[in-house]
Amino acid sequence: MEVIIQPTYEELAEVAAEIVRDALLKKPNLVLGLATGSTPIGLYEALVRMHRTDGLDFSNVTTFNLDEYVGIPPNHPYSYHTFMETHLFNALNIPAENRYIPQSTTVGHEEFCEWYEAAIVDAGGIDIQVLGIGKDGHIGFNEPSSSLGSRTRIKTLTQSTLEANAPHFGSTVDAVPKMAITMGVGTIMDAKQCLLLASGESKAVAIANAVEGAITAEVPASVLQMHPQTIVIIDEAAASQLKRVDYYKQVYANKQELLSQDH
Ligand code: F6R
C-alpha cells in the first residue's frame, strides 16, 4: 500500500486527479470506478477543471459507480444518480451510455446485481477505483462484517452510516434509505488500481485501522492491504492516527525524486 499524505484536502484532491489524468492520457478508454459522498468532490472538481482548461478528453471513458440507495428514484435530489450528474457528468464528455450506476428501483435486484458484475467484466474490468471510507471502515456500502469476497448485492446500512448520511435527507435518520446496492468487497478488489481518499480527523481511526490494523471483515477497507495497487491519499488530519507517517512521507519524497530524475 502506498500512502500519500498531503497538507490539505485541496492538495490530496489534486494528487488524485493527476493520477487519473495520467492514466487517462495513457489509456483514453479508461474504465473508472466512482464513489459519491463528500470526499471525492475535490477530485471531481479538479477533473472538470482539467477537462475545461486543458481539454482532457473523457469521450471514450466508461464509469461504474460503487453504489446507490434502494427505494429512491434516480431523479431523487439525494440519489447517487443526481450526485454524479451534479458533480461530474454534467461537466464532462463521458457518453451517457458509458455511465453505469446501480439502479435502485429495479425489480429483480439479484438479476440486476449479476448484470452489473457482468457489465464491469465486459468493459474490460475497472482500471482505477475511487474510494472513500466510512468512519467504521466501510468501502462502498460494505459495512463491517461484509464478506471480504462479496460481490454486488443489497446491503443494510449500519446506524453509523445512516447518521452520517442524514444531513442529506433533512437531518432525519428515518428519512435515509435503509438499504443500498453496492459493489462487493471482492468486486472492488478486482479493480486494477484503487485510490482510497480520506480527509479530516473524523476519518483518522478508520484510516489507521485500514492501513496499519489487522485485515478483518470488521474493517472492510483493511482488505486493501492485500491489493497490489492501492494508493491511499489523505490529508494530515486523516493521517493523524497512523504510526508510520514519517516513513510514508519518506517513501513519497523518494518516489518524487526518482520521477524527477526520469524527466
Ligand atoms: C459512496 C461510498 C461510501 C463513501 C463513504 C465516505 O459512494 O461508497 O463508502 O465513500 O461513506 O463518505 P464521505 O466521503 O461522505 O465521508
Side-chain angles (χ1 to χ4, degrees), residues 9 34-41 44 65-69 80 83-84 129-143 161 164-165 168 182 188 196-199 202-203:
Y9 173 71
L34 299 175
T36 59
S38 51
T39 311
I41 290 177
Y44 297 158
N65 265 77
L66 280 167
D67 42 20
E68 176 60 286
Y69 293 113
Y80 287 168
F83 176 99
M84 291 310 300
Q129 176 65 58
V130 175
L131 296 167
I133 185 169
K135 285 181 201 159
D136 57 6
H138 71 233
I139 45 176
F141 271 128
N142 297 287
E143 300 285 27
T161 301
N165 292 347
H168 304 303
T182 179
I188 293 168
L196 176 64
L197 313 181
S199 164
S202 67
K203 298 293 175 69

